[in-house]
Amino acid sequence: MELIPLPAAAEALGVPVTRVHQLLRDGHLLQVRDPAGIRCVPALLIQDGAIVKSLPSVITQLRDAHYADEEIVDWLFREDDSLPGSPIEALRANRGSEVKRRAQVAGY
């Protein structure tokens, strides 16, 4: 998984880095730390200068199911034969309803 530091994520979204911090707090984006401990965003969460469509609602559903942010990232990038591919790939292909259904049942 390709990771981009928060300033690069801000540049990709065309917003100040403080807005990226707000998006992280509000659950519209997720952060992970790279091996050096730098806060980063998975690059696939941003597409065409915007947050991938339906990603915030999927994050909310999984947080409501008590998933930690690291577990949500793992879930998004884990291959799912029923999609096919990973949930983040399906979101990027505008198949959000399929992913949201899986996120709903993930906590049960």
Side-chain angles (χ1 to χ4, degrees):
M1 153 182 31
E2 180 188 354
L3 300 175
I4 55 175
L6 299 188
E11 187 175 319
L13 291 168
V15 299
V17 73
T18 54
R19 178 72 178 126
V20 172
H21 291 199
Q22 186 66 46
L23 292 168
L24 291 166
R25 278 192 300 274
D26 292 346
H28 295 274
L29 273 177
L30 296 165
Q31 71 177 2
V32 294
R33 294 203 180 258
D34 71 5
I38 297 171
R39 294 173 19 175
C40 297
V41 172
L44 290 180
L45 303 185
I46 299 171
Q47 182 177 28
D48 300 328
I51 296 170
V52 171
K53 186 178 175 186
S54 299
L55 178 64
S57 62
V58 170
I59 292 170
T60 299
Q61 286 178 317
L62 293 172
R63 281 184 173 170
D64 288 349
H66 306 290
Y67 277 58
D69 286 358
E70 296 81 17
E71 294 170 319
I72 296 172
V73 171
D74 289 341
W75 186 88
L76 285 168
F77 285 86
R78 188 178 315 130
E79 290 294 317
D80 184 339
D81 293 335
S82 66
L83 280 173
S86 65
I88 191 62
E89 290 168 346
L91 287 175
R92 290 174 63 85
N94 204 23
R95 297 192 333 254
S97 56
E98 297 173 45
V99 176
K100 286 189 265 188
R101 277 194 295 276
R102 284 166 179 77
Q104 263 184 327
V105 299
Y108 298 103

XYZ file of all heavy atoms in Angstrom:
832
model
N 0.843 -1.168 0.000
C 0.000 0.000 0.000
C 0.892 1.236 0.000
O 1.777 1.363 0.831
C -0.910 -0.074 1.241
C -1.381 1.226 1.761
S -2.421 1.201 3.245
C -1.916 -0.188 4.190
N 0.626 2.118 -0.926
C 1.396 3.363 -1.013
C 0.862 4.364 0.004
O -0.349 4.576 0.101
C 1.283 3.964 -2.414
C 2.047 5.259 -2.569
C 1.788 5.948 -3.901
O 1.110 5.389 -4.769
O 2.275 7.085 -4.039
N 1.765 4.950 0.760
C 1.405 5.951 1.760
C 1.941 7.304 1.348
O 3.046 7.405 0.815
C 1.985 5.576 3.126
C 1.546 4.247 3.722
C 2.297 3.973 5.014
C 0.049 4.238 3.958
N 1.148 8.357 1.591
C 1.616 9.715 1.310
C 1.522 10.533 2.597
O 0.541 10.442 3.326
C 0.832 10.377 0.155
C -0.678 10.364 0.410
C 1.140 9.712 -1.163
C -1.487 11.108 -0.636
N 2.561 11.307 2.903
C 2.543 12.142 4.109
C 1.385 13.148 4.048
O 0.887 13.484 2.969
C 3.889 12.855 4.098
C 4.725 12.122 3.108
C 3.802 11.447 2.150
N 0.966 13.634 5.205
C -0.178 14.543 5.262
C -0.022 15.780 4.378
O -0.983 16.168 3.709
C -0.470 14.940 6.715
C -0.832 13.789 7.666
C -1.286 14.342 9.011
C -1.867 12.864 7.086
N 1.168 16.424 4.310
C 1.288 17.575 3.397
C 1.042 17.194 1.926
O 0.426 17.960 1.183
C 2.721 18.062 3.616
C 3.066 17.606 4.997
C 2.370 16.282 5.152
N 1.490 16.008 1.524
C 1.253 15.563 0.148
C -0.220 15.245 -0.070
O -0.765 15.483 -1.155
C 2.115 14.346 -0.169
N -0.889 14.704 0.965
C -2.325 14.449 0.866
C -3.074 15.771 0.699
O -4.009 15.867 -0.096
C -2.815 13.690 2.095
N -2.646 16.788 1.447
C -3.266 18.108 1.323
C -3.103 18.652 -0.088
O -4.048 19.187 -0.673
C -2.653 19.065 2.343
N -1.910 18.477 -0.632
C -1.657 18.945 -1.999
C -2.533 18.182 -2.997
O -3.110 18.777 -3.912
C -0.183 18.752 -2.332
C 0.214 19.350 -3.660
C 1.710 19.240 -3.907
O 2.491 19.447 -2.970
O 2.071 18.944 -5.061
N -2.671 16.871 -2.814
C -3.490 16.053 -3.721
C -4.956 16.462 -3.658
O -5.678 16.368 -4.658
C -3.340 14.574 -3.379
N -5.397 16.918 -2.479
C -6.786 17.338 -2.317
C -6.992 18.824 -2.615
O -8.131 19.294 -2.687
C -7.253 17.050 -0.884
C -7.408 15.582 -0.520
C -7.582 15.420 0.986
C -8.587 14.964 -1.268
N -5.884 19.554 -2.748
C -5.979 20.989 -3.013
C -6.471 21.790 -1.815
O -7.189 22.772 -1.978
N -6.095 21.335 -0.615
C -6.519 22.005 0.615
C -5.303 22.224 1.511
O -4.273 21.576 1.335
C -7.587 21.174 1.376
C -8.836 20.984 0.524
C -7.038 19.824 1.820
N -5.413 23.098 2.516
C -4.306 23.248 3.477
C -4.173 21.989 4.334
O -5.140 21.249 4.528
C -4.718 24.440 4.339
C -5.919 25.039 3.711
C -6.485 24.045 2.759
N -3.005 21.770 4.869
C -2.767 20.583 5.696
C -3.662 20.588 6.934
O -4.057 19.522 7.414
C -1.269 20.424 6.039
C -0.821 21.447 7.070
C -0.958 19.024 6.503
N -4.025 21.776 7.415
C -4.935 21.842 8.565
C -6.299 21.249 8.221
O -6.964 20.666 9.075
C -5.100 23.283 9.065
O -5.509 24.112 7.967
C -3.805 23.812 9.657
N -6.707 21.378 6.971
C -7.989 20.780 6.534
C -7.868 19.257 6.528
O -8.834 18.557 6.859
C -8.371 21.305 5.151
C -9.644 20.710 4.602
C -10.883 21.240 5.325
N -12.068 20.659 4.717
C -13.005 20.011 5.388
N -12.937 19.898 6.700
N -14.022 19.503 4.756
N -6.721 18.720 6.171
C -6.504 17.269 6.215
C -6.627 16.785 7.657
O -7.247 15.754 7.924
C -5.148 16.876 5.601
C -4.842 15.401 5.833
C -5.132 17.194 4.115
N -6.071 17.540 8.595
C -6.192 17.180 10.013
C -7.663 17.121 10.416
O -8.084 16.211 11.142
C -5.441 18.175 10.890
C -3.958 18.105 10.748
N -3.101 18.615 11.680
C -3.173 17.587 9.781
C -1.845 18.419 11.288
N -1.881 17.796 10.130
N -8.447 18.096 9.934
C -9.879 18.124 10.237
C -10.595 16.933 9.600
O -11.448 16.305 10.223
C -10.510 19.435 9.747
C -11.961 19.591 10.155
C -12.126 19.729 11.649
O -11.403 20.479 12.294
N -13.061 18.992 12.225
N -10.239 16.601 8.371
C -10.839 15.443 7.688
C -10.529 14.152 8.445
O -11.381 13.259 8.538
C -10.331 15.355 6.248
C -10.797 16.472 5.310
C -10.002 16.446 4.008
C -12.288 16.352 5.028
N -9.336 14.052 9.007
C -8.965 12.890 9.812
C -9.803 12.840 11.089
O -10.333 11.792 11.453
C -7.472 12.917 10.150
C -6.525 12.689 8.980
C -5.105 13.067 9.360
C -6.599 11.254 8.498
N -9.931 13.981 11.762
C -10.725 14.037 13.003
C -12.190 13.705 12.738
O -12.842 13.044 13.539
C -10.625 15.423 13.646
C -9.386 15.632 14.474
C -9.483 16.898 15.321
N -9.662 18.107 14.520
C -8.662 18.807 13.979
N -7.417 18.420 14.154
N -8.909 19.885 13.276
N -12.707 14.178 11.600
C -14.122 13.986 11.275
C -14.424 12.604 10.704
O -15.584 12.282 10.449
C -14.588 15.046 10.277
C -14.620 16.444 10.886
O -14.552 16.567 12.130
O -14.713 17.418 10.109
N -13.393 11.799 10.464
C -13.609 10.457 9.947
C -13.849 10.381 8.455
O -14.428 9.422 7.954
N -13.391 11.388 7.725
C -13.504 11.354 6.272
C -12.288 10.707 5.626
O -12.347 10.272 4.483
C -13.700 12.767 5.717
C -14.988 13.384 6.149
N -16.160 13.196 5.481
C -15.287 14.169 7.213
C -17.126 13.841 6.096
N -16.620 14.441 7.161
N -11.180 10.685 6.358
C -9.930 10.066 5.922
C -9.362 9.260 7.082
O -9.773 9.442 8.228
C -8.898 11.133 5.538
C -8.897 11.681 4.127
C -7.833 12.779 3.998
C -8.654 10.612 3.102
N -8.417 8.396 6.760
C -7.720 7.601 7.772
C -6.225 7.827 7.642
O -5.726 8.047 6.539
C -8.015 6.111 7.564
C -9.462 5.688 7.757
C -9.671 4.304 7.175
C -9.820 5.716 9.226
N -5.539 7.754 8.759
C -4.089 7.885 8.733
C -3.450 6.626 9.297
O -4.055 5.914 10.094
C -3.633 9.097 9.537
C -3.800 8.925 11.029
C -3.264 10.102 11.800
O -2.797 11.081 11.236
N -3.327 10.014 13.115
N -2.269 6.358 8.840
C -1.423 5.300 9.386
C -0.022 5.888 9.503
O 0.274 6.916 8.905
C -1.417 4.026 8.498
C -2.772 3.365 8.484
C -0.979 4.349 7.091
N 0.804 5.230 10.248
C 2.191 5.691 10.367
C 3.070 4.817 9.473
O 2.907 3.604 9.431
C 2.650 5.624 11.817
C 1.877 6.608 12.681
C 2.640 6.976 13.916
N 1.879 7.920 14.723
C 2.120 9.224 14.750
N 3.084 9.745 14.050
N 1.388 10.022 15.511
N 3.990 5.463 8.779
C 4.925 4.715 7.950
C 6.010 4.128 8.848
O 6.019 4.385 10.061
C 5.475 5.590 6.824
C 6.437 6.673 7.284
O 6.777 6.724 8.491
O 6.863 7.465 6.436
N 6.933 3.338 8.297
C 7.974 2.730 9.137
C 8.804 3.739 9.928
O 9.320 3.421 10.984
C 8.835 1.968 8.124
C 7.894 1.651 7.011
C 6.964 2.822 6.920
N 8.900 4.971 9.433
C 9.661 5.998 10.145
C 8.812 6.716 11.193
O 9.293 7.611 11.876
C 10.220 7.013 9.149
N 7.533 6.351 11.302
C 6.647 6.970 12.279
C 5.941 8.219 11.796
O 5.272 8.905 12.568
N 6.065 8.535 10.510
C 5.434 9.723 9.949
C 3.971 9.428 9.653
O 3.637 8.383 9.089
C 6.171 10.169 8.669
C 7.599 10.568 9.028
C 5.438 11.308 7.969
C 8.486 10.810 7.834
N 3.096 10.361 10.037
C 1.666 10.203 9.775
C 1.403 10.336 8.284
O 1.803 11.319 7.658
C 0.863 11.235 10.556
C 0.966 11.021 12.036
C 0.333 12.095 12.868
N -0.637 12.930 12.172
C -1.365 13.858 12.755
N -1.241 14.093 14.029
N -2.215 14.581 12.068
N 0.716 9.345 7.724
C 0.455 9.303 6.289
C -0.985 8.884 6.032
O -1.660 8.327 6.895
C 1.379 8.294 5.614
S 3.126 8.692 5.721
N -1.409 9.109 4.811
C -2.711 8.668 4.331
C -2.458 7.648 3.217
O -1.599 7.887 2.355
C -3.509 9.873 3.769
C -4.779 9.429 3.077
C -3.816 10.871 4.869
N -3.174 6.520 3.211
C -3.044 5.610 2.070
C -3.430 6.343 0.781
O -4.500 6.969 0.710
C -4.016 4.480 2.402
C -4.110 4.496 3.898
C -4.035 5.963 4.259
N -2.581 6.292 -0.212
C -2.783 7.057 -1.447
C -4.095 6.705 -2.142
O -4.723 7.575 -2.750
C -1.608 6.831 -2.389
N -4.548 5.472 -2.050
C -5.762 5.065 -2.755
C -7.038 5.654 -2.158
O -8.113 5.522 -2.751
C -5.877 3.535 -2.794
C -4.867 2.817 -3.687
C -5.076 1.310 -3.634
C -4.949 3.314 -5.126
N -6.946 6.327 -1.012
C -8.122 6.962 -0.426
C -8.458 8.277 -1.118
O -9.521 8.849 -0.901
C -7.923 7.207 1.075
C -7.608 5.996 1.944
C -7.575 6.391 3.417
C -8.586 4.865 1.710
N -7.539 8.750 -1.963
C -7.730 9.999 -2.706
C -7.758 9.654 -4.193
O -6.914 8.911 -4.686
C -6.609 11.002 -2.396
C -6.616 11.346 -0.903
C -6.738 12.248 -3.263
C -5.422 12.158 -0.446
N -8.756 10.200 -4.880
C -8.903 9.926 -6.313
C -9.350 11.205 -7.015
O -10.344 11.824 -6.632
C -9.947 8.815 -6.509
C -10.156 8.398 -7.938
C -11.146 7.238 -8.040
O -12.022 7.077 -7.208
N -10.981 6.432 -9.062
N -8.639 11.591 -8.042
C -8.973 12.762 -8.844
C -9.171 14.020 -7.997
O -10.130 14.764 -8.178
C -10.228 12.495 -9.684
C -10.047 11.333 -10.646
O -8.910 11.127 -11.125
O -11.035 10.617 -10.919
N -8.283 14.230 -7.026
C -8.319 15.437 -6.221
C -9.396 15.472 -5.154
O -9.690 16.536 -4.611
N -10.004 14.328 -4.856
C -11.061 14.269 -3.840
C -10.952 12.966 -3.055
O -10.293 12.015 -3.487
C -12.433 14.361 -4.503
N -11.619 12.947 -1.919
C -11.710 11.707 -1.151
C -12.599 10.748 -1.928
O -13.610 11.156 -2.504
C -12.293 11.992 0.247
C -11.335 12.892 1.035
C -12.574 10.695 0.995
C -11.916 13.434 2.316
N -12.224 9.484 -1.960
C -12.990 8.484 -2.705
C -14.438 8.509 -2.230
O -14.718 8.520 -1.024
C -12.364 7.079 -2.516
C -13.249 6.005 -3.100
C -10.984 7.035 -3.148
N -15.350 8.523 -3.201
C -16.783 8.574 -2.909
C -17.183 7.407 -2.006
O -16.725 6.284 -2.186
C -17.561 8.523 -4.228
C -19.042 8.707 -4.068
C -19.722 8.685 -5.415
C -21.222 8.747 -5.233
N -21.922 8.586 -6.487
N -18.033 7.673 -1.036
C -18.579 6.704 -0.069
C -17.594 6.292 1.013
O -17.980 5.596 1.944
C -19.135 5.452 -0.759
O -20.196 5.791 -1.624
N -16.330 6.693 0.921
C -15.357 6.312 1.944
C -15.756 6.801 3.335
O -15.716 6.017 4.286
C -13.954 6.795 1.582
C -12.869 6.492 2.614
C -12.669 4.980 2.758
C -11.564 7.160 2.228
N -16.173 8.080 3.504
C -16.538 8.525 4.848
C -17.661 7.695 5.483
O -17.611 7.389 6.675
C -16.964 9.985 4.649
C -16.181 10.415 3.451
C -16.161 9.198 2.557
N -18.658 7.298 4.711
C -19.751 6.509 5.288
C -19.283 5.111 5.671
O -19.714 4.556 6.688
C -20.952 6.449 4.350
O -20.620 5.831 3.139
N -18.362 4.542 4.893
C -17.809 3.225 5.239
C -16.984 3.330 6.525
O -17.088 2.475 7.410
C -16.975 2.658 4.069
C -16.208 1.420 4.489
C -17.866 2.360 2.872
N -16.193 4.393 6.648
C -15.405 4.604 7.862
C -16.336 4.709 9.070
O -16.108 4.082 10.110
C -14.512 5.859 7.738
C -13.413 5.634 6.696
C -13.903 6.231 9.092
C -12.628 6.887 6.335
N -17.415 5.477 8.940
C -18.376 5.636 10.034
C -18.994 4.298 10.422
O -19.099 3.975 11.610
C -19.476 6.639 9.641
O -18.865 7.901 9.385
C -20.515 6.784 10.737
N -19.413 3.512 9.431
C -20.015 2.208 9.725
C -19.053 1.309 10.485
O -19.445 0.650 11.454
C -20.449 1.512 8.435
C -21.682 2.105 7.817
C -22.039 1.407 6.524
O -21.168 1.116 5.696
N -23.309 1.135 6.342
N -17.809 1.273 10.049
C -16.836 0.399 10.705
C -16.445 0.925 12.085
O -16.239 0.140 13.016
C -15.610 0.199 9.807
C -15.905 -0.583 8.522
C -14.695 -0.568 7.597
C -16.317 -2.016 8.828
N -16.356 2.233 12.244
C -16.088 2.784 13.582
C -17.244 2.469 14.522
O -17.038 2.169 15.694
C -15.850 4.292 13.513
C -14.461 4.646 13.047
C -14.241 6.142 13.079
N -12.853 6.476 12.779
C -12.423 7.692 12.560
N -13.272 8.717 12.609
N -11.155 7.927 12.290
N -18.479 2.553 14.014
C -19.652 2.205 14.824
C -19.621 0.738 15.243
O -20.195 0.370 16.269
C -20.948 2.502 14.074
C -21.230 3.998 13.951
O -20.546 4.805 14.620
O -22.146 4.354 13.185
N -18.948 -0.092 14.432
C -18.795 -1.517 14.760
C -17.547 -1.744 15.623
O -17.126 -2.882 15.794
C -18.705 -2.337 13.477
N -16.984 -0.651 16.147
C -15.833 -0.679 17.063
C -14.529 -1.115 16.410
O -13.664 -1.675 17.081
C -16.142 -1.539 18.294
C -17.388 -1.113 18.996
N -17.462 0.074 19.692
C -18.614 -1.684 19.075
C -18.685 0.207 20.177
N -19.408 -0.835 19.821
N -14.392 -0.869 15.123
C -13.116 -1.101 14.451
C -12.190 0.063 14.773
O -12.614 1.224 14.731
C -13.299 -1.157 12.932
C -13.731 -2.484 12.371
C -14.904 -3.103 12.768
C -12.949 -3.125 11.412
C -15.299 -4.307 12.239
C -13.341 -4.337 10.863
C -14.516 -4.920 11.286
O -14.903 -6.118 10.753
N -10.934 -0.222 15.068
C -9.907 0.817 15.205
C -9.502 1.266 13.800
O -9.708 0.539 12.825
C -8.701 0.262 15.954
N -8.924 2.455 13.702
C -8.550 2.972 12.376
C -7.616 2.026 11.626
O -7.759 1.846 10.415
C -7.932 4.353 12.497
C -8.983 5.423 12.809
O -10.180 5.090 12.885
O -8.587 6.592 12.976
N -6.664 1.409 12.334
C -5.745 0.477 11.668
C -6.508 -0.732 11.122
O -6.199 -1.243 10.042
C -4.657 -0.001 12.634
C -3.740 1.105 13.123
C -4.343 1.919 14.279
O -5.318 1.456 14.919
O -3.844 3.028 14.517
N -7.524 -1.186 11.868
C -8.339 -2.315 11.409
C -9.181 -1.930 10.196
O -9.394 -2.747 9.297
C -9.259 -2.801 12.534
C -8.513 -3.409 13.703
C -9.404 -3.665 14.900
O -10.266 -2.817 15.228
O -9.226 -4.735 15.520
N -9.634 -0.673 10.164
C -10.405 -0.204 9.006
C -9.521 -0.193 7.770
O -9.933 -0.638 6.695
C -11.009 1.192 9.269
C -12.024 1.124 10.415
C -11.666 1.743 8.005
C -12.533 2.476 10.887
N -8.292 0.295 7.912
C -7.369 0.302 6.769
C -7.130 -1.129 6.304
O -7.176 -1.411 5.098
C -6.047 1.020 7.128
C -5.011 0.840 6.034
C -6.298 2.504 7.383
N -6.885 -2.038 7.242
C -6.697 -3.451 6.872
C -7.918 -3.983 6.134
O -7.792 -4.664 5.115
C -6.435 -4.317 8.112
C -5.066 -4.076 8.712
O -4.187 -3.536 8.017
O -4.884 -4.445 9.894
N -9.106 -3.677 6.631
C -10.356 -4.145 6.025
C -10.498 -3.595 4.600
O -10.861 -4.320 3.679
C -11.544 -3.717 6.895
C -12.860 -4.273 6.450
C -13.410 -5.462 6.808
C -13.797 -3.646 5.557
N -14.627 -5.621 6.180
C -14.884 -4.521 5.416
C -13.809 -2.436 4.869
C -15.990 -4.226 4.609
C -14.899 -2.143 4.062
C -15.980 -3.026 3.939
N -10.199 -2.311 4.427
C -10.332 -1.680 3.108
C -9.396 -2.288 2.070
O -9.736 -2.357 0.889
C -10.062 -0.179 3.212
C -11.155 0.675 3.828
C -10.628 2.066 4.129
C -12.365 0.738 2.909
N -8.212 -2.714 2.507
C -7.207 -3.189 1.564
C -7.140 -4.720 1.471
O -6.360 -5.241 0.693
C -5.836 -2.604 1.916
C -5.717 -1.155 1.526
C -6.156 -0.155 2.378
C -5.199 -0.798 0.303
C -6.070 1.177 2.023
C -5.108 0.538 -0.074
C -5.545 1.528 0.788
N -7.951 -5.414 2.244
C -7.959 -6.884 2.225
C -8.738 -7.368 1.003
O -9.837 -6.896 0.715
C -8.618 -7.415 3.504
C -8.514 -8.915 3.665
C -9.134 -9.405 4.968
N -8.740 -8.566 6.104
C -9.610 -8.062 6.973
N -10.896 -8.283 6.867
N -9.163 -7.317 7.980
N -8.160 -8.326 0.291
C -8.839 -8.903 -0.868
C -10.138 -9.573 -0.438
O -10.203 -10.232 0.593
C -7.941 -9.940 -1.565
C -6.753 -9.323 -2.276
C -7.132 -8.447 -3.462
O -8.014 -8.843 -4.256
O -6.560 -7.351 -3.574
N -11.194 -9.380 -1.234
C -12.498 -9.971 -0.965
C -12.984 -10.599 -2.270
O -13.341 -9.889 -3.210
C -13.464 -8.890 -0.476
C -14.824 -9.429 -0.088
O -15.189 -10.529 -0.543
O -15.526 -8.749 0.676
N -12.984 -11.925 -2.309
C -13.351 -12.629 -3.541
C -14.774 -12.328 -3.984
O -15.098 -12.444 -5.165
C -13.172 -14.143 -3.367
C -11.716 -14.535 -3.215
O -10.846 -13.770 -3.697
O -11.446 -15.590 -2.616
N -15.639 -11.936 -3.052
C -17.025 -11.671 -3.429
C -17.198 -10.311 -4.102
O -18.261 -10.027 -4.646
C -17.930 -11.760 -2.194
O -17.640 -10.729 -1.284
N -16.168 -9.460 -4.108
C -16.330 -8.140 -4.742
C -16.056 -8.145 -6.248
O -16.855 -7.519 -6.947
C -15.434 -7.115 -4.033
C -15.986 -6.563 -2.744
C -14.978 -5.707 -2.023
C -17.254 -5.793 -2.967
N -15.130 -8.644 -6.863
C -13.803 -9.125 -6.491
C -12.851 -7.956 -6.267
O -13.144 -6.840 -6.635
C -13.366 -9.933 -7.701
C -14.061 -9.277 -8.843
C -15.376 -8.747 -8.285
N -11.717 -8.272 -5.682
C -10.734 -7.252 -5.336
C -10.909 -6.832 -3.891
O -11.517 -7.533 -3.096
N -10.393 -5.671 -3.555
C -10.493 -5.165 -2.190
C -11.622 -4.131 -2.114
O -12.025 -3.556 -3.132
C -9.171 -4.538 -1.771
O -8.907 -3.396 -2.551
N -12.137 -3.863 -0.915
C -13.168 -2.833 -0.785
C -12.743 -1.463 -1.324
O -13.544 -0.778 -1.954
C -13.425 -2.789 0.731
C -13.138 -4.183 1.182
C -11.957 -4.609 0.343
N -11.482 -1.069 -1.118
C -11.065 0.241 -1.625
C -11.075 0.262 -3.148
O -11.448 1.267 -3.756
C -9.690 0.686 -1.042
C -9.408 2.168 -1.367
C -8.563 -0.182 -1.532
C -10.393 3.148 -0.787
N -10.726 -0.849 -3.782
C -10.795 -0.911 -5.247
C -12.241 -0.783 -5.714
O -12.523 -0.113 -6.717
C -10.179 -2.211 -5.753
C -8.675 -2.284 -5.581
C -8.120 -3.688 -5.825
O -8.903 -4.658 -5.876
O -6.894 -3.799 -5.949
N -13.168 -1.420 -5.002
C -14.584 -1.328 -5.355
C -15.097 0.099 -5.168
O -15.846 0.615 -6.010
C -15.398 -2.311 -4.516
N -14.692 0.762 -4.085
C -15.098 2.161 -3.885
C -14.577 3.047 -5.005
O -15.297 3.903 -5.517
C -14.586 2.682 -2.536
C -15.276 2.157 -1.281
C -14.560 2.673 -0.032
C -16.739 2.550 -1.258
N -13.333 2.834 -5.390
C -12.737 3.640 -6.461
C -13.424 3.383 -7.809
O -13.412 4.241 -8.680
C -11.237 3.368 -6.562
C -10.456 3.926 -5.373
C -8.992 3.527 -5.409
N -8.301 4.053 -6.569
C -7.754 5.262 -6.655
N -7.817 6.085 -5.624
N -7.137 5.645 -7.747
N -14.041 2.212 -7.967
C -14.758 1.870 -9.197
C -16.237 2.244 -9.096
O -17.051 1.789 -9.893
C -14.604 0.384 -9.492
N -16.588 3.057 -8.084
C -17.953 3.536 -7.887
C -18.938 2.402 -7.587
O -20.076 2.418 -8.047
C -18.417 4.375 -9.088
C -19.519 5.335 -8.694
O -19.651 5.691 -7.525
N -20.302 5.749 -9.653
N -18.471 1.419 -6.820
C -19.348 0.327 -6.381
C -19.525 0.422 -4.861
O -19.406 -0.551 -4.131
C -18.757 -1.020 -6.794
C -18.664 -1.179 -8.307
C -18.348 -2.580 -8.792
N -17.617 -3.437 -7.902
C -16.329 -3.775 -8.037
N -15.623 -3.278 -9.022
N -15.753 -4.598 -7.194
N -19.840 1.618 -4.397
C -19.932 1.900 -2.975
C -21.030 1.145 -2.258
O -20.869 0.759 -1.098
N -22.161 0.921 -2.914
C -23.263 0.247 -2.223
C -22.873 -1.174 -1.829
O -23.239 -1.644 -0.748
C -24.538 0.248 -3.070
O -24.298 -0.328 -4.326
N -22.116 -1.866 -2.676
C -21.653 -3.220 -2.343
C -20.752 -3.185 -1.108
O -20.868 -4.025 -0.218
C -20.858 -3.826 -3.505
C -21.643 -4.016 -4.783
C -20.739 -4.447 -5.921
O -19.897 -5.335 -5.716
O -20.878 -3.879 -7.017
N -19.847 -2.213 -1.064
C -18.908 -2.104 0.045
C -19.644 -1.712 1.321
O -19.373 -2.260 2.394
C -17.787 -1.085 -0.282
C -16.855 -0.896 0.904
C -17.006 -1.546 -1.507
N -20.597 -0.795 1.228
C -21.346 -0.372 2.404
C -22.141 -1.537 2.994
O -22.238 -1.657 4.214
C -22.258 0.806 2.072
C -21.479 2.100 1.893
C -22.389 3.282 1.795
C -22.664 3.605 0.352
N -23.381 4.849 0.149
N -22.690 -2.394 2.145
C -23.405 -3.578 2.653
C -22.465 -4.475 3.436
O -22.787 -4.982 4.505
C -24.038 -4.367 1.501
C -25.383 -3.834 1.057
C -26.120 -4.817 0.181
N -25.458 -5.075 -1.093
C -25.593 -4.325 -2.169
N -26.358 -3.256 -2.146
N -24.969 -4.636 -3.290
N -21.262 -4.679 2.923
C -20.282 -5.520 3.623
C -19.825 -4.869 4.932
O -19.611 -5.551 5.926
C -19.097 -5.818 2.719
C -19.433 -6.868 1.674
C -18.389 -6.926 0.569
N -18.702 -7.937 -0.423
C -19.609 -7.819 -1.364
N -20.352 -6.728 -1.447
N -19.815 -8.794 -2.239
N -19.683 -3.555 4.922
C -19.287 -2.839 6.135
C -20.376 -2.944 7.204
O -20.073 -3.048 8.395
C -18.981 -1.381 5.819
N -21.626 -2.936 6.775
C -22.741 -3.054 7.722
C -22.678 -4.356 8.487
O -22.919 -4.391 9.681
C -24.082 -2.984 6.987
C -24.713 -1.637 6.990
C -26.060 -1.681 6.324
O -26.305 -2.439 5.382
N -26.958 -0.845 6.791
N -22.389 -5.444 7.785
C -22.384 -6.753 8.437
C -21.034 -7.079 9.078
O -20.931 -8.055 9.808
C -22.791 -7.886 7.463
C -24.180 -7.661 6.948
C -21.808 -8.024 6.336
N -20.033 -6.262 8.841
C -18.684 -6.543 9.360
C -18.656 -6.550 10.883
O -17.859 -7.266 11.480
C -17.671 -5.550 8.812
N -19.522 -5.777 11.520
C -19.507 -5.688 12.968
C -20.329 -6.762 13.665
O -20.359 -6.837 14.879
N -20.993 -7.610 12.878
C -21.868 -8.625 13.487
C -21.287 -9.998 13.419
O -20.483 -10.329 12.646
C -23.242 -8.599 12.805
C -23.928 -7.280 12.983
C -23.956 -6.360 11.947
C -24.524 -6.952 14.188
C -24.584 -5.137 12.109
C -25.144 -5.737 14.357
C -25.176 -4.845 13.313
O -25.783 -3.639 13.471
